[in-house]
Amino acid sequence: MMSDAAGQKSRVRQQFNLASADYDSGPGCFAHYGRRLVDAINPSPGTSVLDIACGRGAILFPAAAAVGNEGAVVGIDLADGMIQQTREDARARGIKVRLEVGDAENLNFADESLDYVLCGFGIMFFPNQSRALDEFRRVLKPGGRLGVTTWRVPQIHEVRQVLTELGVNPPPYAPGWITEPAVLSDLLVKCGFHDVQVILDDAEFEYPNAEAYWEHARGTGFRQVMDGLDTDVVRRGKALLRDRFGISRASGMINVTMTALIGLATR
Ligand SMILES: C[S@@+](CC[C@H](N)C(=O)[O-])C[C@H]1O[C@@H](n2cnc3c(N)ncnc32)[C@H](O)[C@@H]1O
């Protein structure tokens, strides 16, 4: 029988394998925050970066550009579908990165071997966040830098809102969801990191219409929930979205604001 943690990881793997092909389609919200995290950490040329829970490479690709040919970038993810797709993207783009299926809580890397550990929108899915952060700390060189992001307001926020208004209660956010800067900061301090800083970072993304926003919200881990909705709920959900927030009557565009927490720390 599977432990709770193993069961949770198995569900997360399935959830992200399902989303992997269309992941971050549309305006590229994850790609935006991947660039933001890499800019904030600013890895030096020739250094080593481990991107944990790398998904489709939102952090991996800008990190590879930052460290250059003399540097080394490795991405790991629990979902083999993410790893396969990202490996193909890297090959097609001629970008030199290593990709492996792996678990954030059991890193297959030597002690004090890496300059930077980055993890974008991953830690909320780890059953044991302290264990994962202990692993991040173990593999970082002394003085190495950590960068993590979590969602305060995610891309799918407005979809969840309309589903709730329709009386379809979406499943709650993962239990490890961190929305408060102080919670992220305390966690990093508790796990032995120094110089902890958490930045609140808003960004606005534009979608051509409610249908496009709905469709691109399926390019996230929320896809499994959205694909299980009946067609009438989908129709009414899109109609509610059209009537709602930020639609410019002239352009018909929808503007959605997201907010991330960007946590930076030193080992
Ligand atoms: C929301 S996605 C973020 C992907 C990418 N970092 C980005 O910013 O676009 C979360 C990713 O975490 C991965 N993940 C979840 N639990 C994991 C674990 N225990 N170890 C490694 N990856 C994990 C999922 O498979 C998924 O690809």
Side-chain angles (χ1 to χ4, degrees):
M1 182 129 146
M2 251 191 234
S3 68
D4 284 355
Q8 186 179 330
K9 285 179 192 176
S10 167
R11 287 190 292 279
V12 164
R13 186 183 295 113
Q14 193 182 17
Q15 174 186 357
F16 284 100
N17 273 338
L18 185 68
S20 63
D22 304 320
Y23 190 76
D24 206 22
S25 60
C29 312
F30 289 94
H32 167 83
Y33 278 113
R35 290 189 296 271
R36 293 284 296 148
L37 183 62
V38 171
D39 285 350
I41 281 279
N42 194 19
S44 310
T47 56
S48 52
V49 178
L50 173 60
D51 177 10
I52 294 171
C54 64
R56 291 293 300 273
I59 292 168
L60 195 77
F61 293 130
V67 303
N69 283 338
E70 303 304 311
V73 178
V74 184
I76 69 155
D77 200 287
L78 200 58
D80 50 304
M82 288 291 197
I83 293 297
Q84 273 166 27
Q85 305 263 355
T86 308
R87 206 175 267 147
E88 279 167 30
D89 292 343
R91 201 174 297 130
R93 294 166 65 176
I95 298 174
K96 191 190 73 168
V97 286
R98 204 171 97 212
L99 285 149
E100 292 172 7
V101 173
D103 180 355
E105 294 180 5
N106 291 293
L107 295 178
N108 196 14
F109 294 85
D111 295 359
E112 303 187 2
S113 58
L114 297 154
D115 296 302
Y116 302 94
V117 168
L118 305 178
C119 180
F121 306 109
I123 66 172
M124 55 279 247
F125 302 108
F126 307 159
N128 189 336
Q129 291 175 332
S130 298
R131 179 176 172 148
L133 284 160
D134 288 346
E135 280 289 86
F136 296 5
R137 194 167 172 279
R138 177 182 68 74
V139 300
L140 271 173
K141 295 176 186 172
R145 296 277 286 153
L146 171 72
V148 297
T149 48
T150 66
W151 284 121
R152 184 174 175 86
V153 182
Q155 179 177 11
I156 49 98
H157 171 73
E158 303 289 354
V159 175
R160 290 184 73 92
Q161 195 69 38
V162 295
L163 291 181
T164 306
E165 282 171 33
L166 289 173
V168 179
N169 287 326
Y173 286 118
W177 209 263
I178 297 176
T179 56
E180 292 301 324
V183 175
L184 181 56
S185 165
D186 289 351
L187 179 66
L188 299 182
V189 170
K190 191 187 88 185
C191 293
F193 288 95
H194 304 285
D195 309 325
V196 174
Q197 184 192 5
V198 177
I199 302 161
L200 267 175
D201 202 70
D202 291 332
E204 194 175 84
F205 296 90
E206 202 170 65
Y207 297 84
N209 50 44
E211 281 72 19
Y213 171 55
W214 186 279
E215 202 48 44
H216 296 313
R218 290 175 65 247
T220 69
F222 202 51
R223 182 185 188 127
Q224 211 165 20
V225 173
M226 293 177 74
D227 286 0
L229 298 169
D230 72 46
T231 48
D232 188 51
V233 169
V234 172
R235 185 186 55 75
R236 288 162 62 215
K238 288 178 183 174
L240 267 182
L241 276 176
R242 273 194 295 274
D243 293 344
R244 212 177 141 84
F245 72 98
I247 297 178
S248 140
R249 290 287 163 216
S251 69
M253 300 295 272
I254 284 182
N255 298 302
V256 183
T257 301
M258 291 153 217
T259 308
L261 306 186
I262 301 179
L264 307 170
T266 304
R267 187 225 201 260

